[in-house]
Amino acid sequence: MANQTPIPVVVIGAAGKMGREVIKAVTQAADMNLVGAIDTTAEYQGQDAGELAGLSEPLEIPITNQLEPMLAFASQGKQLGVMVDFTHPSSVYDNVRSAIAYGLRPVVGTTGLSPEQIQDLAEFADKASTGCLIIPNFSIGMVLLQQAAVAASQHFDHVEIIELHHNQKADAPSGTAIQTAQMLADIGKTYNQSLVEETEKLPGARGSQAEEGVRIHSVRLPGLIAHQEVIFGAAGQIYTLRHDTSDRACYMPGVLLAIRKVLQLKSLVYGLEKIL
Ligand SMILES: NC(=O)C1=CN([C@@H]2O[C@H](COP(=O)(O)OP(=O)(O)OC[C@H]3O[C@@H](n4cnc5c(N)ncnc54)[C@H](OP(=O)(O)O)[C@@H]3O)[C@@H](O)[C@H]2O)C=CC1
Ligand SMILES: O=C(O)C1=N[C@H](C(=O)O)C[C@H](O)C1
């Protein structure tokens, strides 16, 4: 590894909560080289990405909102480049299309892409024979929770998901909750058959209904980071799976793994569990 050219990495959303963590993690990885830090926040334009991320030394990489020139620059070396996206549901689709068009491999943490957008990006990546990773949750704990939930779903017919996040989150339900519900639906059974005719006296009281009857409830409060419960019920018993994050550093081993793995792919892959 020591003799290999480091992987050029562009971080988009670099001034955000996740972007700053990614800047730190990429800078500390011996096989990666941070080449660009993109963010639209007006007040951070021109600031050093390392100082903003809390590193002791400046990186001499200023935050800029100029994505396309940065992608062009990052695609010029002989080593394939990676764009890591932690931005906003409204911009991630266009960012990924641009990265692929410039020959960079996208690693996407941003949630809120619709199934149609993901399908479209998969076709775009296929045509370009380009790896692309969309990972709704980079923490190993969540992969293990989801595996346990799929195992439990063989034995329980009733399940509801509660996801709890900080109140600066733009999308609901969380990408992780949507993915978890999809995994439960994929085993091919319908959950939560109602025994009575239910009436919602306040709209949304019973949460949202994902495929195959899986219900998702979203909580947004200051003081939270990211948490998820999957609650199974049956006669006389409740089985609860819960994952809590206390620091966004928990996502970084997954992000670094994804940066390395995306270079080996030729198509779009969805979910951390597929690259472990
Ligand atoms: N997959 C995973 O494991 C995880 C995923 N996430 C997801 O990552 C995303 C980001 O989360 P978080 O860091 O908390 O959010 P933040 O709001 O803290 O950061 C997002 C940053 O992206 C910037 N931004 C928005 N649009 C653009 C754009 N088009 N180009 C460049 N920069 C842009 C924002 O700037 P501005 O001020 O201009 O809006 C902001 O600085 C969310 O979708 C979240 O759900 C979060 C944690 C883990
Ligand atoms: O916005 C967040 O914070 C998080 N977003 C992701 C999601 O929507 O699932 C991952 C994690 O829950 C944190």
Side-chain angles (χ1 to χ4, degrees):
M1 187 188 286
N3 295 327
Q4 278 179 357
T5 314
I7 305 165
V9 179
V10 174
V11 177
I12 177 161
K17 292 182 282 301
M18 285 296 290
R20 294 178 195 213
E21 282 296 329
V22 176
I23 300 281
K24 278 192 275 184
V26 166
T27 305
Q28 285 155 16
D31 58 338
M32 294 175 198
N33 186 21
L34 183 77
V35 295
I38 313 289
D39 202 283
T40 44
T41 314
E43 66 180 293
Y44 297 130
Q45 297 307 302
Q47 280 201 33
D48 185 81
E51 285 177 348
L52 200 57
L55 297 176
S56 52
E57 299 285 325
L59 291 172
E60 310 296 347
I61 295 180
I63 301 279
T64 166
N65 55 17
Q66 299 299 301
L67 176 63
E68 302 236 344
M70 184 53 70
L71 294 177
F73 169 72
S75 63
Q76 276 165 13
K78 60 179 179 181
Q79 168 66 283
L80 284 175
V82 174
M83 182 194 78
V84 180
D85 190 306
F86 282 100
T87 56
H88 191 272
S90 62
S91 66
V92 55
Y93 174 83
D94 288 339
N95 299 340
V96 174
R97 297 248 338 181
S98 298
I100 293 174
Y102 278 94
L104 268 76
R105 276 45 181 168
V107 167
V108 180
T110 309
T111 49
L113 281 165
S114 68
E116 295 73 26
Q117 286 178 314
I118 294 172
Q119 180 57 35
D120 192 64
L121 292 175
E123 286 166 20
F124 197 60
D126 259 352
K127 277 193 201 129
S129 285
T130 293
C132 174
L133 278 167
I134 299 182
I135 312 276
N137 199 305
F138 282 97
S139 70
I140 186 66
M142 185 52 70
V143 173
L144 297 173
L145 181 149
Q146 289 171 333
Q147 288 172 352
V150 168
S153 68
Q154 309 287 343
H155 307 285
F156 287 90
D157 298 331
H158 294 263
V159 60
E160 306 216 1
I161 298 172
I162 306 178
E163 56 93 347
L164 310 93
H165 283 81
H166 58 91
N167 63 346
Q168 289 162 24
K169 184 163 176 59
D171 53 320
S174 69
T176 308
I178 292 171
Q179 184 195 26
T180 309
Q182 189 61 53
M183 288 170 158
L184 296 175
D186 283 349
I187 79 153
K189 75 185 199 192
T190 304
Y191 302 88
N192 302 330
Q193 302 279 6
S194 194
L195 301 177
V196 294
E197 196 172 318
E198 287 185 8
T199 313
E200 278 188 330
K201 295 292 188 187
L202 289 174
R206 292 286 290 114
S208 54
Q209 209 164 4
E211 270 180 56
E212 303 298 350
V214 180
R215 286 190 183 272
I216 307 178
H217 309 262
S218 298
V219 178
R220 299 286 177 265
L221 287 171
L224 293 170
I225 298 184
H227 316 260
Q228 179 169 289
E229 284 187 1
V230 181
I231 309 176
F232 293 91
Q237 60 180 318
I238 289 291
Y239 177 52
T240 304
L241 297 165
R242 182 169 172 118
H243 181 253
D244 294 289
T245 57
S246 51
D247 191 316
R248 290 180 177 84
C250 70
Y251 302 116
M252 293 309 118
V255 171
L256 296 183
L257 176 72
I259 292 170
R260 293 176 185 120
K261 289 275 180 169
V262 76
L263 297 177
Q264 300 163 16
L265 301 174
K266 295 270 176 248
S267 60
L268 185 147
V269 172
Y270 180 85
L272 185 66
E273 69 285 359
K274 307 260 177 49
I275 57 164
L276 291 175

